[in-house]
Amino acid sequence: MEARAEGFLGRIGQKLRNKNQRASFSLYATGLLSTAERKSAEPIVALSCPDPAGMDAAHQRMLHFLAEASWDDRSVRLEATRYALEQIEEKEIVEAWIIDDTGFLKKGTHSVGVQRQYTGSAGKVTNCQVGVSLTLASPSHHVAADFELYLPDTWANDKERRLEARIPPGVSFKTKPELALDMIERAVRAKLPRGLVLADSAYGDCSDFRATLRAWELDYAVGVSKTLRVLPVGRDGEVATKAVTAQELSDGLTFRRVTWRQGSAGPLSARFAFARVVPARDDGWKPEEREVVHLVCEQRDGEDELRFHLTSLPADRLASTYVVRMLKQRWRTERVYQDLKEELGLDHYEGRRFQGWHHHVSVVLACSAFITAERAAFSPCGDDCYDDLGAEVDAEGIAGWTDLGRPQGSEANTSFALHVAPHVT
C-alpha cells in the first residue's frame, strides 16, 4: 500500500504549484487518514511535530496552506476522482451520478455560509453550513467527486461578510440545483463516465435542473413533490389537455410490489406504479412537443403518504426492477457523508474563509478517493465489506501509519516522510 500511496500523492502533487504545497498536502492528508479523533489543522500538525517549540510555526504554515495558498481545488479533485475510477472501471461500470447535500453544524456566525437553515444531517433547521455534492457510483463502489458550498443570500450579497470570508468576486448567489449543475457540467466537460443522475425532490422539482440534464444528454431519476403538475399521456401517445398533480394521478393507478435487493432482515420491497406523463410547464412549448417521461409512485409499507419520482429513462431501460433499484441508489450518499465525516473529518474544518473550506474538502475527497481505489482493487465485495472506512484503514494502516494517532518522536515520520518535510508551508 505504501508504494501506491506514494504514487497517488505524486499524481496529486502534479496539480499543486510547488514542493512546499505538495509537502503540506501530504501532511494534511496523512492526518486525515490517521486515527486521531479531531482532524483540524492544529491536531494534524501535532502528529508530525515532535518539537513543541516548533509547533506554533508549523501550525501557522498549515493554516496558510489551507486558507491562503493558491492551488486549484477542481484539478486536484478531478485527478483524485480519475485515480479511483481507474480501479473501479477495471471491474464495473459507473451507473449513477448522485446529487445530494449535507450540513456542517456550527456554533458561531462567522464561518462562511453559516446561517440557520434546514439540513437533513440534523433533520431540522439549525445553525450550519450546507455543502452540495456529486458522487459517482458503480454497483459496488462510490467516489465523492465534487463539493460546492452553498452561500445563502445573507452571505452572497453582504459586502462586509464577503470581505471577511474572502469570497472571490466571481462567486455569486446560486441555488442548490444551480450548484449541482455546475458540478455536473464540469464532470461532463472532463468526460467522466456518465451515469443516471439521481437526486431528491429539492432538485427534481426544479424544471430547469431536469431540462438542463436532458440538454446535456443525461438521463435522470429524481424525487418530486406530490404537488408536481403533470399531463397524463395515453396509450396512443395523446397528451391530456388538463394538468393534474402527481398525487391526483396516482389515485387511478395500479400498484405492484417490487423488490430491489436483499437486506439483512429480508427482502427490501415496496409497491410501485408507473405512468407516462409530460411535466406541465409554461415555457411556450406545446405539450405534445415536450419529452414524455415516467412518473413513479411509491407506497412504502406502514406509510400513508406516497413518494413520487420522475425519470427520463427510455422505454428499453424501463424495467420496473431496474428503475426502482436505481432510485434506491440515492441512499449511498448517506454512507458517503458518514464516512467522510466520521473517518476523514469532512466537518472538522475550523477556519472561516471560503477558500479554506474548499481546500480542506479537496484533501478530504482526495483521501476518500484513495481508499475507494484500494477497495476497488483488492476488495471482492465493495462497500459491503466494511462497517466503515476506519475498519479498512485500521486493518492495514495507510502507507504503514498503523499508529498514526500516537506518533512518538522521529518514529512518527515514516512512510509519508518522503513527502512531508520537517518545515512545510
Side-chain angles (χ1 to χ4, degrees), residues 330-348:
R330 281 212 325 259
W331 71 268
R332 295 173 71 175
T333 56
E334 298 305 317
R335 169 66 180 271
V336 170
Y337 295 149
Q338 179 182 1
D339 289 347
L340 292 178
K341 291 180 178 180
E342 294 183 1
E343 303 300 332
L344 295 174
L346 176 67
D347 57 349
H348 290 191

Side-chain angles (χ1 to χ4, degrees), residues 6-236:
E6 297 288 345
F8 173 69
L9 287 174
R11 285 179 56 166
I12 296 297
Q14 295 176 13
K15 304 301 176 181
L16 301 171
R17 302 184 63 155
N18 54 58
K19 65 179 182 180
N20 291 330
Q21 289 187 3
R22 289 189 286 272
S24 292
F25 188 100
S26 296
L27 174 60
Y28 201 68
T30 301
L32 294 178
L33 289 164
S34 76
T35 57
E37 182 176 349
R38 188 67 187 173
K39 298 181 179 180
S40 55
E42 186 172 5
I44 285 176
V45 170
L47 291 175
S48 61
C49 187
D51 180 11
M55 178 63 189
D56 184 65
H59 182 218
Q60 292 304 314
R61 286 191 289 271
M62 182 58 74
L63 292 178
H64 172 80
F65 168 74
L66 291 171
E68 304 286 348
S70 177
W71 49 275
D72 188 357
D73 290 291
R74 293 173 185 174
S75 63
V76 166
R77 297 175 187 182
L78 180 58
E79 186 64 27
T81 298
R82 284 175 169 156
Y83 179 88
L85 290 175
E86 288 170 8
Q87 296 300 327
I88 292 173
E89 292 188 295
E90 285 287 324
K91 301 176 183 177
E92 299 178 334
I93 63 169
V94 170
E95 62 178 2
W97 287 11
I98 310 173
I99 293 293
D100 206 346
D101 52 73
T102 186
F104 299 69
L105 304 184
K106 295 291 181 180
K107 294 182 178 180
T109 60
H110 295 284
S111 295
V112 59
V114 71
Q115 72 167 17
R116 288 190 59 79
Q117 54 192 322
Y118 178 81
T119 173
S121 303
K124 62 181 180 180
V125 174
T126 189
N127 197 60
C128 65
Q129 300 164 308
V130 171
V132 182
S133 69
L134 168 64
T135 298
L136 277 59
S138 71
S140 303
H141 302 282
H142 48 240
V143 54
D146 211 350
F147 249 102
E148 286 287 351
L149 178 65
Y150 171 67
L151 284 180
D153 181 72
T154 54
W155 278 89
N157 295 314
D158 186 313
K159 291 182 179 180
E160 290 186 6
R161 277 184 147 184
R162 290 184 67 97
L163 183 63
E164 179 185 0
R166 299 194 181 179
I167 299 171
V171 175
S172 60
F173 172 78
K174 289 187 177 182
T175 65
K176 293 171 189 173
E178 288 172 334
L179 293 174
L181 288 174
D182 284 348
M183 292 186 290
I184 292 171
E185 182 177 18
R186 291 198 292 270
V188 169
R189 291 183 179 277
K191 300 187 183 327
L192 295 182
R194 296 189 173 207
L196 179 68
V197 178
L198 307 177
D200 63 24
S201 60
Y203 303 88
D205 280 340
C206 178
S207 57
D208 287 338
F209 178 77
R210 302 193 308 267
T212 303
L213 295 179
R214 298 302 294 133
W216 292 338
E217 299 182 344
L218 291 166
D219 280 305
Y220 61 77
V222 295
V224 293
S225 301
K226 64 182 180 181
T227 55
L228 179 76
R229 299 187 66 78
V230 297
L231 299 166
V233 178
R235 292 180 178 270
D236 58 359

